[in-house]
Amino acid sequence: MTALRPVPDGGLDPDDHKGRRDGTPGAQRAADRWKGVTRPTHRPGEAPRFLTDVVVEMGLAERERVEAAIATARAQGTTPERVLLQSGALSQDALARAIAERHGLNHIDLTTFEVDMSAATLLSAAMAKRYEAVPVERWDERTLLVAMADPTNILALDDIGLITGLGIRPVVASSEDVAALISRLTSLDDMVRDASIEEAEEDVGEIVELRESADDAPVVKLVNQIVAQAVQRGASDVHLEPDGRGLRVRFRVDGVLSETTSVPKRMVLGVISRVKIMCDLDIAERRLPQDGRIGLAVDGRQIDLRVVTLPSVHGEAVVMRILDKEAVVMDLDRLGMGEGDRDRFRRSVGRSHGAVLATGPTGSGKSTTLYAALSELNTPEKNIITIEDPVEYQLGGITQVQVNPRAGLHFSTGLRSMMRADPDVIMVGEVRDRETAQIAVEAALTGHLVLSTLHTNDAPTAITRLIEMGIEPFLVASAIDCVVAQRLARTLCSQCKARTIVSAEVLREHGFHAKFDVEAYESVGCTRCGGTGYKGRVGLYEVMRLSDEIRRLVVARAPAEEIAEVAVREGMRRLRDDGLEKIGLGRTSVAEVTRVTGVS
């Protein structure tokens, strides 16, 4: 066990652990163990400094950016560091370094530090989440080293000391690193194993009795843990899939599915029934698909679950869509559009009439783009009405209508009624048929701003798709003002991405228009990104506004390829060109852009 002695400045000296300089293999292991620990230069007792001053002194952000954040924080009633985080000017890890420096404490990088799991388990996962603190090492026999996001939380230090019966020495880690470590401590595999043992011991009996034993059954704890883990990992969907041997649990994180754990066969019916009970579905009906919705609170965040059950040959499968409003970016400036594309899109949604379409496959972020536009348009002077299937996120000040086919409320019938409700802005969740398209086009021509989505691969094809639906070309040319095609590409993990050079030849082989080699980054994988090399997503866009020349081509029923050539000549960037720019900026990789744009 490695032990560190206290140093005069109140931090820990990673160069002065036992046997550091004796050259033995054990000493080398000890030295490796303390990689990621940084000593502060600020001494306790020195005059306290503002955290923003420390950020500037350490070169983590420019003075002008920090001053602007201070002014914004005063106006919004928040803190400057929160403003810096939200704007992307400061990372969580950089903030943790500044906090450590300000308080004269060590900063610890949990992606490289070797955590003593026996020490970490001295504190329950629930308490660790509550205090954003995890024990990472025994400093000595009577003292515990605790990684914290907020070292000024004296109550947390006192409580952890009472729980463990040890003295506490805080070190500072980023909140995302602490959350990742807590996630490791509460692995689903362990939860499945514990629940399986409890299930065998208690013999809960018939599945229908779960309603009566809902507070005690181990299967309930397991379902809650699955949902909590999915939210913590930022998953958009949870798939529960029976395969005859058990229940496969998969999370879709950043658009990619990965297997998380497997539930034993004897618990499958219990897990499925518990999910159906949560959503008030019929647990006796297993032959027909069902869908439901429920609101949950997970770690203080309000989460909506949209649940669909599907009968399969091995039993009922369940897909849970996680709708976390706090995790959705509804700000056009943060979606990832280039400045030119963003300006063109803003000009279109700022008009009093016309139609703006967002196109792309399912899960490409179309609705998020339209929500971001509605957020900018949402003022007391405008009456905004939406019709959606389903209403994913509820927006204050906007009338949102849910499609209900069973009651006869379809997109077309709802849109026709909305036209009589004096709207200024109309959003149609999706144009699926000729009737809906016709009404939307007519609304755009009669003085309304219409926003909608359409399933096409690129922007020019959206025009020809409407004509193929039966809308007259002259109406399409007059009504449509702008079409945005988009994809969501995973962003490279900022902690582990590796610099590389991609030759122009390789880029051309992957369908990019490149004349020169590009300095880029590639994915590696670390604990912070779960070994994937990616964390988060960014949009790839092509924004096409209809010019007079393009309108003439539309009326003449020109093919999409010809429309695309003119649009590019007038300044439109194709999806892969936008992707190439983001590759050069180090935000994503060639492999990822190739994957989401379908370039072969």
Side-chain angles (χ1 to χ4, degrees), residues 20 23 48 59 69 198 216 235 306 312 356 364 426 495 512 515 522:
R20 173 68 176 88
E198 289 184 47
D216 302 317
R306 209 170 72 213
S312 72
V356 177
S364 59
I426 297 171
Q495 300 300 314
F512 295 95
K515 298 180 180 179
E522 59 186 0

Side-chain angles (χ1 to χ4, degrees), residues 396-449:
I398 295 177
T399 302
Q400 295 174 271
V401 179
Q402 168 75 53
V403 167
N404 188 352
R406 293 178 182 176
L409 179 56
H410 301 273
F411 276 117
S412 55
T413 54
L415 184 54
R416 189 176 290 109
S417 299
M418 288 162 56
M419 292 291 293
R420 297 191 291 270
D422 187 33
D424 296 296
V425 181
I426 297 171
M427 188 184 95
V428 184
E430 184 182 343
V431 172
R432 297 177 179 174
D433 51 52
R434 183 189 182 281
E435 187 177 5
T436 304
Q438 185 73 40
I439 300 170
V441 166
E442 290 173 358
L445 291 172
T446 54
H448 304 88
L449 177 64

Side-chain angles (χ1 to χ4, degrees), residues 182-238:
I182 294 171
S183 179
R184 286 166 55 195
L185 295 175
T186 56
S187 69
L188 275 180
D189 288 335
D190 293 338
M191 193 66 190
V192 169
R193 191 182 310 113
D194 295 342
S196 181
I197 293 171
E198 289 184 47
E199 182 89 357
E201 292 176 348
E202 296 182 11
D203 189 15
V204 296
E206 293 296 325
I207 298 306
V208 293
E209 294 177 6
L210 281 174
R211 191 181 300 274
E212 285 73 31
S213 59
D215 293 331
D216 302 317
V219 72
V220 175
K221 300 176 186 176
L222 177 57
V223 171
N224 292 344
Q225 186 66 16
I226 289 172
V227 174
Q229 282 274 32
V231 172
Q232 192 172 57
R233 290 180 54 181
S236 60
D237 300 89
V238 178

Side-chain angles (χ1 to χ4, degrees), residues 151-162:
T152 64
N153 191 341
I154 305 301
L155 290 177
L157 293 171
D158 290 343
D159 285 356
I160 296 172
L162 288 172

Side-chain angles (χ1 to χ4, degrees), residues 134-199:
V134 184
V136 293
E137 179 67 67
R138 283 184 180 271
W139 181 28
D140 56 32
E141 293 182 357
R142 293 174 296 177
T143 311
L144 201 60
L145 205 64
V146 177
M148 306 181 67
D150 180 12
T152 64
N153 191 341
I154 305 301
L155 290 177
L157 293 171
D158 290 343
D159 285 356
I160 296 172
L162 288 172
I163 292 168
T164 61
L166 298 169
I168 304 301
R169 192 65 182 266
V171 290
V172 184
S174 71
S175 58
E176 59 184 3
D177 279 359
V178 172
L181 179 54
I182 294 171
S183 179
R184 286 166 55 195
L185 295 175
T186 56
S187 69
L188 275 180
D189 288 335
D190 293 338
M191 193 66 190
V192 169
R193 191 182 310 113
D194 295 342
S196 181
I197 293 171
E198 289 184 47
E199 182 89 357

Side-chain angles (χ1 to χ4, degrees), residues 226-227 230-231 234-240 250-257 275 278-279 290-296 298 302-309 317-325 328 361-368 371 389-393 455 488 537:
I226 289 172
V227 174
V231 172
S236 60
D237 300 89
V238 178
H239 292 246
L240 307 177
R250 294 195 292 170
F251 292 168
R252 186 179 295 278
V253 180
D254 294 335
V256 177
L257 273 173
V275 173
M278 291 168 62
C279 299
Q290 299 184 69
D291 60 87
R293 187 169 185 162
I294 185 174
L296 300 172
V298 180
Q302 293 301 315
I303 304 297
D304 280 346
L305 284 186
R306 209 170 72 213
V307 177
V308 175
T309 67
V318 172
V319 178
M320 295 186 283
R321 168 64 58 88
I322 299 174
L323 304 174
D324 182 1
K325 188 173 181 178
V328 176
T362 300
S364 59
K366 303 183 297 296
S367 296
T368 301
Y371 277 133
D389 184 21
V391 175
E392 293 191 0
Y393 300 101
H455 286 282
L488 288 178
R537 289 193 288 180

